[in-house]
Amino acid sequence: MSVPTSAIDPATARTGETAHTGTDARFDTLLAWYFVIVWGSGFLATKIGIQYAAPFTFLTLRYLVGVVCLLPWLALARPAWPASRREFFHICVAGLLMHAINLGGSHYAQYLGISAGIVALILATQPLLTAVFAHQVLHQRLSPPQWLGVALGLAGVALVVWHKVNVEAVSWVSLLAVGISLAAITAGTLYQRAFCSAVDLRSASLIQFVASLLVLAPLAWTVEGFVVRWRWPLLFSILFLVVLASILAVNALHLLMRHGHATRVTSLFYLTPIVAVLLEWLMFGEVPSWLSAIGIAVTCAGVALVCRQPRTRA
């Protein structure tokens, strides 16, 4: 999921919404914690789902259910649709990067044995890559604390991943898969900021779901044979990821953005690995080692420094 840099999402110009002032802080706090818990839990829901369907098949089912859920909502809401073929194309490209490639990579990484907590941790370093890319390509200056955050974040990930590789808990193929996922979500975030900043989020979600479905369904059929073991945990994980995560959590995220909490919202992402690790411990008994715990703490501190907004003098 991409995080815009502006405090007010430009999509308000298309949806007719305006920024809220004097919003109940407690309500925003509840929204923020809802997003963190659901987003972190999503990695565990994925871990459950891919036990009953291979990654491409599972994602095909997920986006199919997502389209079915969105259609009646959009029929009632009547959102704005892309104004041109060019805008439609940009929405599709951003969607394929952030949904098909990003989730395809992260799901395959878990399918190949890497833990949900480590996948969440590596993907939580997205702000680090975005900051470095912005510095190198967009010539946006990073402060010394931000550079320290980049170094800490990468060191923390290296600590966790190196430990896992040493004990043969994961393979290089799974690390490559999650690396592709990280590159795709970073590229998708920057692409959406550049070309899709004014689209209506509701209609864009449907377009991106359909585009991802058209790419993933043939792969699910030809590569995996579209084998599904229909069980209640599979249905639960799909509904959780579609309704609570892709629809409600994403809308909670953008609502917070429109309430003027851009920096706070960006920093929420470094809490999701902690949620994922704790839930993996409780649900699957995967106790993190002390070395992994240190690596997670170092990575979270690094991302927090990168996302920290410098104080301005009065």
Side-chain angles (χ1 to χ4, degrees), residues 145-209:
Q146 287 178 312
W147 278 118
L148 175 60
V150 171
L152 284 176
L154 295 178
V157 171
L159 190 63
V160 174
V161 172
W162 184 258
H163 166 66
K164 290 294 183 180
V165 170
N166 281 343
V167 298
E168 298 181 354
V170 297
S171 67
W172 287 109
V173 177
S174 63
L175 291 178
L176 176 63
V178 76
I180 292 173
S181 175
L182 178 59
I185 188 63
T186 303
T189 298
L190 295 169
Y191 191 94
Q192 180 149 310
R193 289 178 186 176
F195 300 107
C196 307
S197 60
V199 302
D200 190 293
L201 301 174
R202 298 163 295 184
S203 60
S205 294
L206 179 63
I207 293 170
Q208 292 179 344
F209 279 12

Side-chain angles (χ1 to χ4, degrees), residues 42-68:
F43 293 94
L44 275 298
T46 296
K47 182 171 183 174
I48 293 172
I50 59 178
Q51 295 177 12
Y52 302 94
F56 292 151
T57 302
F58 179 70
L59 284 171
T60 298
L61 294 174
R62 174 176 174 176
Y63 289 126
L64 183 60
V65 173
V67 169
V68 171

Side-chain angles (χ1 to χ4, degrees), residues 203-221:
S203 60
S205 294
L206 179 63
I207 293 170
Q208 292 179 344
F209 279 12
V210 172
S212 298
L213 184 61
L214 292 175
V215 170
L216 292 169
L219 292 175
W221 185 266

Side-chain angles (χ1 to χ4, degrees), residues 17 27 33 74 76 78 80 126 178 199 230 271 273 276 302 309:
E17 298 177 63
F27 176 70
W33 279 108
L74 298 188
L76 294 174
R78 298 179 181 274
Q126 177 201 345
V178 76
V199 302
W230 294 104
L271 295 176
Q309 186 177 31

Side-chain angles (χ1 to χ4, degrees), residues 25 40 51 61 63 75 79 96 122 126 128 140 145 170 222 226 239 246 253 262 275 288 300 312-313:
Q51 295 177 12
L61 294 174
Y63 289 126
L96 291 176
I122 294 175
Q126 177 201 345
L128 306 183
Q140 296 179 1
V170 297
T222 58
F226 208 82
L239 289 175
S246 294
L253 175 70
V275 174
C300 291
T312 55
R313 295 181 180 179

